[in-house]
Amino acid sequence: MGLEDRDALAVLQAAFENSGAPGSDSDLLVQRFYTRWFALDAEVRDLFGPELAPQRSAFGEAMHWVFGEFVAQRAQAPVAFLAQLGRDHRKYGVTQQHYDSMRQAWYATMRSHLIDSWSGAVDDAATQAINLITGIMAGAADAEDGPAWWDGTVVEHHRVSRDIAIVRLHLDRPLAYHPGQYVNVQIPQWPRRWRYLSPAMPADPDGFIEFHVRAVLGGIVSNSIVAETRPGDRWRLSSPHGAMEVDRDGEDVLMVAGSTGLAPLRALIMDLCRFGDNPRVHLFFGARYPCELYDLRTLWEIAATNPWLSVSPVSEYAGDPPWATDYPDVQPPRGLHVRQTGRLPEVVTKYGAWGDRQILICGGPEMVRATYDALVAKGAPPERIQHDPLG
């Protein structure tokens, strides 16, 4: 029965349960798969960065979801996901040979790992599923005639706070994306360590693009971007992902941005400025200190000429730390914004559930989860809330 045998597919899905948990049985399965694949095809190891733990975790979690969709006999979402994955993997230089060796290593690892529960039905399901997954990825990559990546030159780097930098690039060729999407970025200081960043402006026909980056604890790429990036550096970008959007024909909008999570929402707001008639947009922009509300002046200028936009700045602390004097003053003129003090989820939900709005949340995973949970607890329908993947 193969892909129609739900019981056999459930065995394969269960093998990837808790893949993100170090030391789990599924984590061991994924480690064995990569070890076998690298032994079978020595070229493959050079396609990945030196730290494989995030890659293994992402692969295991993705396969747990894909097999879950197969168990439920749903094909549309996993096929679209795998096709995008195949197109995106072109940036690594993946070839048909690599997909062939992946297929062999994956089947052999699954069979040896599930030896106690392996049966003819499980064998059929594994063979067909692995062939389908690798076939969709390889086929989508072969069918794509667009660029595998976009190269660009850093033209400006502004350190606007101790931990935040604004980086502007000029791409060799324009990159088409929708406001609110994100792209994978590789910087010269850390080759093969791709990181997702959201453009802070709509796509530009002349190839200019802007990113807002916050250095995070242990984030070697983000720290390098904030502290080491200089004009003239050459970056590489991959194709865009994500589907965050504002329905201009829908309800009014609540946006919640934590720190540089402002970037995709800023791009959406700037795109809305093209139209004379928009739903009302209320943006809560939060940071730890007032000095880290780094783009309030731009938001002030937009709101001053677009009455559909209102902005509420929020900082966890009422005053600035001593190091704030080393960076530009980010506070706009008085008149449009009254800053509030407190944690972003509490300040936002102080005004209610916002259940009649389109809700978009962007920022660090902890902030997004906390804001999402707070809004749902207040009564906001989960299906009205948009945010990027948290992994």
Side-chain angles (χ1 to χ4, degrees):
M1 294 177 64
L3 293 177
E4 297 179 1
D5 190 333
R6 296 189 179 195
D7 292 337
L9 289 168
V11 172
L12 301 176
Q13 182 195 18
F16 290 100
E17 190 79 39
N18 299 321
S19 292
S24 65
D25 194 54
S26 54
D27 184 58
L28 181 61
L29 163 65
V30 176
Q31 288 187 44
R32 287 173 173 170
F33 158 63
Y34 277 96
T35 300
R36 189 185 295 268
W37 191 15
F38 296 159
L40 190 63
D41 190 343
E43 290 184 3
V44 173
R45 183 62 185 89
D46 292 334
L47 303 180
F48 297 94
E51 294 179 355
L52 277 176
Q55 170 68 29
R56 292 197 301 260
S57 177
F59 173 79
E61 291 173 6
M63 289 307 105
H64 182 262
W65 174 79
V66 168
F67 279 110
E69 293 295 289
F70 288 168
V71 170
Q73 299 293 288
R74 293 190 292 260
Q76 184 175 355
V79 168
F81 168 76
L82 293 166
Q84 178 60 46
L85 202 62
R87 289 189 292 268
D88 195 49
H89 272 58
R90 295 180 304 143
K91 69 178 182 287
Y92 298 121
V94 176
T95 66
Q96 183 62 53
Q97 171 192 320
H98 301 136
Y99 283 113
D100 292 339
S101 60
M102 177 187 185
R103 187 182 301 115
Q104 297 176 46
W106 193 354
Y107 173 81
T109 305
M110 292 291 287
R111 180 166 183 166
S112 61
H113 189 82
L114 296 174
I115 188 65
D116 293 335
S117 54
W118 200 261
S119 65
V122 173
D123 187 281
D124 287 344
T127 301
Q128 292 185 31
I130 292 171
N131 287 343
L132 178 64
I133 290 169
T134 55
I136 291 172
M137 292 178 65
D142 288 342
E144 180 62 47
D145 56 5
W149 58 74
W150 286 257
D151 289 332
T153 302
V154 174
V155 293
E156 294 182 53
H157 177 275
H158 300 289
R159 190 89 172 257
V160 294
S161 180
R162 183 179 64 174
D163 300 326
I164 300 172
I166 294 176
V167 184
R168 298 188 179 103
L169 295 93
H170 186 220
L171 303 178
D172 297 348
R173 51 190 166 190
L175 169 63
Y177 58 87
H178 297 292
Q181 288 192 299
Y182 52 92
V183 297
N184 228 351
V185 174
Q186 178 185 250
I187 65 173
Q189 291 87 350
W190 294 100
R192 294 185 294 146
R193 293 179 186 263
W194 294 82
R195 294 296 184 271
Y196 286 114
L197 297 178
S198 295
M201 57 183 280
D204 179 70
D206 294 322
F208 289 97
I209 193 168
E210 177 178 313
F211 297 104
H212 300 172
V213 183
R214 181 187 182 94
V216 298
L217 184 65
I220 56 175
V221 174
S222 65
N223 278 274
S224 289
I225 291 174
V226 171
E228 301 171 9
T229 292
R230 297 291 181 269
D233 285 358
R234 296 283 289 173
W235 285 21
R236 176 163 289 182
L237 282 61
S238 76
S239 54
H241 300 264
M244 186 174 292
E245 62 179 355
V246 170
D247 179 3
R248 290 187 55 250
D249 296 322
E251 299 87 350
D252 290 340
V253 183
L254 168 68
M255 295 183 175
V256 185
S259 187
T260 51
L262 174 67
L265 302 183
R266 179 186 190 265
L268 285 164
I269 290 171
M270 294 177 73
D271 186 62
L272 290 173
C273 291
R274 298 185 297 128
F275 306 98
D277 185 22
N278 287 311
R280 290 181 302 162
V281 177
H282 194 118
L283 168 67
F284 285 88
F285 176 31
R288 292 173 302 178
Y289 303 105
C291 65
E292 292 183 317
L293 297 167
Y294 63 93
D295 209 31
L296 269 186
R297 289 181 183 269
T298 301
L299 298 173
W300 181 86
E301 292 172 358
I302 296 174
T305 55
N306 293 275
W308 47 265
L309 175 64
S310 58
V311 180
S312 294
V314 180
S315 63
E316 292 187 30
Y317 301 99
D320 285 327
W323 52 258
T325 57
D326 296 334
Y327 299 95
D329 179 15
V330 300
Q331 299 306 311
R334 294 182 179 271
L336 287 180
H337 311 288
V338 177
R339 183 175 53 81
Q340 302 177 66
T341 303
R343 295 184 65 249
L344 201 50
E346 283 76 11
V347 172
V348 171
T349 54
K350 180 173 64 175
Y351 296 93
W354 304 86
D356 60 343
R357 308 291 180 104
Q358 304 177 60
I359 302 175
L360 289 73
I361 311 173
C362 295
E366 290 185 6
M367 186 283 291
V368 172
R369 289 190 185 97
T371 304
Y372 177 94
D373 291 343
L375 285 166
V376 171
K378 277 280 188 176
E383 63 272 13
R384 286 181 176 267
I385 302 176
Q386 301 179 56
H387 61 80
D388 286 331
L390 298 177

